Amino acid sequence: MAAEAPPPSTEKAQLPTPEEFTEVQESAEFGELRRSHRSFAFPLTIGFIVWYLLYVLLSNYAGGFMGAKVVGNINVAFVFGVLQFVSTFFIAWWYSKHAAAKLDPKAEAIKTRMEGGA
């Protein structure tokens, strides 16, 4: 027999005013959150775009190099293509770890304060 859950609260949370949003946006805490995000996301995004464009340019203009056999019927183009997928998943995993460790706690603190819980 399952225990009954209490009914959802009908009490509405007080929404912050536009002035409160502006105040939080200009705060040092919010600035640090943005810096943390940007210092991680921007360099990684630029690096990935460069890596992707290198792959595309080599595929278009260095056919001999990309067609070189590595092992059996596997060539450099195939290896680079697989590495595109691997790097995409690695970046997503790394960002998830970064967000959980550095961004989420700061964002949660700001959210709690804005919702009146702190």
Side-chain angles (χ1 to χ4, degrees), residues 43-55:
L44 221 53
T45 300
I46 291 168
F48 183 77
I49 289 171
V50 167
W51 162 232
Y52 175 75
L53 289 176
L54 175 69
Y55 175 67

Side-chain angles (χ1 to χ4, degrees), residues 58-98:
L58 286 174
S59 294
N60 283 320
Y61 300 110
F65 170 70
M66 294 296 271
K69 302 277 184 192
V70 176
V71 176
N73 286 332
I74 298 174
N75 60 17
V76 173
F78 181 77
V79 171
F80 277 20
V82 169
L83 288 175
Q84 288 287 317
F85 286 100
V86 170
S87 63
T88 299
F89 285 107
F90 174 73
I91 289 169
W93 171 80
W94 193 13
Y95 180 78
S96 174
K97 299 282 284 181
H98 171 74

Side-chain angles (χ1 to χ4, degrees), residues 3-74:
E4 275 191 46
S9 174
T10 57
E11 188 178 310
K12 288 190 176 184
Q14 173 108 13
L15 294 176
T17 65
E19 293 79 22
E20 290 172 321
F21 275 110
T22 302
E23 181 183 322
V24 168
Q25 185 179 11
E26 294 170 352
S27 72
E29 186 180 20
F30 189 77
E32 178 57 32
L33 175 62
R34 286 189 352 200
R35 271 188 300 283
S36 255
H37 171 69
R38 288 178 179 172
S39 69
F40 186 87
F42 286 179
L44 221 53
T45 300
I46 291 168
F48 183 77
I49 289 171
V50 167
W51 162 232
Y52 175 75
L53 289 176
L54 175 69
Y55 175 67
V56 171
L57 291 172
L58 286 174
S59 294
N60 283 320
Y61 300 110
F65 170 70
M66 294 296 271
K69 302 277 184 192
V70 176
V71 176
N73 286 332
I74 298 174

